[in-house]
Amino acid sequence: LVSQPGKYYITASNQCGEASDTVLVQFLDAPDPFILGPDTTICPGETVLLSSPSVFYDVLWQDGSGMLHLVADHAGVYWLQLSNECGVQADTLEINVHAENPILNLKPELLWCPGDQFVLDVTQSFNATYLWSTGAFTPSITVTEPGLYLVEVSSACKTVEDQSEVIPDEDCEEEVDGSPVFYIPNVFSPNDDGINDLFQVATDLPENMIAMEGRIFDRWGNLVFGSSGITFTWDGYFSGTLLNPAVFVYVITIRYSTDAGEREEVFYGDVTLLR
């Protein structure tokens, strides 16, 4: 009964002669526990090379292959099993693919009159970094004078640039005292995270509002939402269903009071719905 490695031999003899034989018993290690790697996230088109930590055992990947290396190029769960006559060890990792690419939709040109201010907003629904030509690192900036404003938005895998030029308007009307300033966003993300969930008209003088009527159209001109409430608000739903990411066109008519009497303005533009 052999329980230790070594070289064993036996000799047998009788009056007619002698015979002998030798056998070498070697110790065989079972595979040691191993870590295939941490769960990771890759960008579209990227790959991860997964490798067996040893060449001395039988190799089996989740796709049935037995090579020492495996190229992971899509999202999924990957596992590796190492085995021999003495045991089996395995490990698993998960690979995800980034699908969060910035979408920018700044207006190329904005006409400016003295006293005007514009909010340039490129807020994304996921973690991103922002860099404006003004040096700001915020998702939005307030513009109060003419100029070319550029922004660079980066996610984990992609960087997108956009710009908006604020140009002096040659047909500025004389400012009416008590006129409110309106802010209409160009991006919103109705994903219930409490951040930028609604497309909503805001003003610095809500008490001056008399009437507000707005309509939202898809790119084919179909009406997807309409409201005549004092505060125009859209949650991104159509017939009880949240719409897919897309660019929509709005027409909003606002009637308000000023020190000189009632005025009415019509605002046209587009808004990007993100998820």
Side-chain angles (χ1 to χ4, degrees):
L1 181 61
V2 176
S3 61
Q4 297 292 329
K7 187 175 183 181
Y8 296 84
Y9 67 90
I10 184 172
T11 300
S13 63
N14 62 14
Q15 64 272 19
C16 296
E18 180 181 285
S20 64
D21 196 15
T22 302
V23 61
L24 179 64
V25 178
Q26 295 179 318
F27 183 79
L28 181 63
D29 282 311
D32 293 323
F34 66 92
I35 297 177
L36 186 57
D39 293 345
T40 187
T41 301
I42 61 176
C43 298
E46 287 187 342
T47 61
V48 176
L49 180 64
L50 305 178
S51 300
S52 168
S54 175
V55 299
F56 299 108
Y57 307 111
D58 295 328
V59 174
L60 178 64
W61 295 94
Q62 84 288 334
D63 63 355
S65 64
M67 306 297 290
L68 293 178
H69 305 285
L70 179 72
V71 176
D73 57 1
H74 61 275
V77 176
Y78 294 79
W79 56 260
L80 169 64
Q81 174 183 287
L82 300 180
S83 63
N84 64 7
E85 294 88 340
C86 296
V88 177
Q89 293 288 344
D91 191 36
T92 301
L93 67 81
E94 183 176 2
I95 292 180
N96 295 301
V97 177
H98 271 293
E100 299 174 337
N101 292 326
I103 298 177
L104 304 185
N105 192 33
L106 289 177
K107 293 183 178 179
E109 293 184 356
L110 295 168
L111 295 178
W112 175 89
C113 291
D116 284 351
Q117 64 177 11
F118 304 101
V119 176
L120 305 182
D121 191 343
V122 292
T123 303
Q124 305 297 306
S125 60
F126 47 84
N127 289 333
T129 59
Y130 305 88
L131 177 60
W132 294 88
S133 54
T134 61
F137 297 96
T138 53
S140 63
I141 61 172
T142 300
V143 175
T144 58
E145 60 184 20
L148 181 63
Y149 297 87
L150 300 91
V151 66
E152 182 180 278
V153 181
S154 300
S155 65
C157 293
K158 189 173 184 180
T159 297
V160 177
E161 297 179 348
D162 201 0
Q163 66 181 40
S164 185
E165 186 173 9
V166 178
I167 303 172
D169 190 348
E170 297 180 356
D171 298 320
C172 292
E173 296 181 2
E174 184 179 351
E175 183 177 351
V176 177
D177 292 337
S179 294
V181 176
F182 298 101
Y183 166 58
I184 303 178
N186 57 12
V187 176
F188 77 117
S189 55
N191 54 10
D192 295 327
D193 63 353
I195 302 173
N196 204 26
D197 285 328
L198 299 174
F199 173 68
Q200 188 173 54
V201 177
T203 177
D204 62 337
L205 295 174
E207 65 275 11
N208 287 29
M209 298 301 102
I210 298 173
M212 191 178 299
E213 181 178 352
R215 291 172 292 169
I216 304 289
F217 302 90
D218 63 19
R219 62 177 179 174
W220 296 281
N222 300 311
L223 179 67
V224 298
F225 180 75
S227 171
S228 57
I230 289 296
T231 301
F232 182 82
T233 302
W234 180 41
D235 59 5
Y237 281 77
F238 173 67
S239 297
T241 301
L242 182 59
L243 295 175
N244 291 323
V247 177
F248 298 87
V249 175
Y250 62 80
V251 181
I252 301 173
T253 303
I254 303 176
R255 187 156 52 93
Y256 57 89
S257 62
T258 70
D259 294 346
E262 292 186 6
R263 294 192 66 190
E264 183 175 281
E265 288 190 63
V266 180
F267 297 88
Y268 302 89
D270 52 63
V271 58
T272 300
L273 186 153
L274 303 176
R275 293 279 288 276

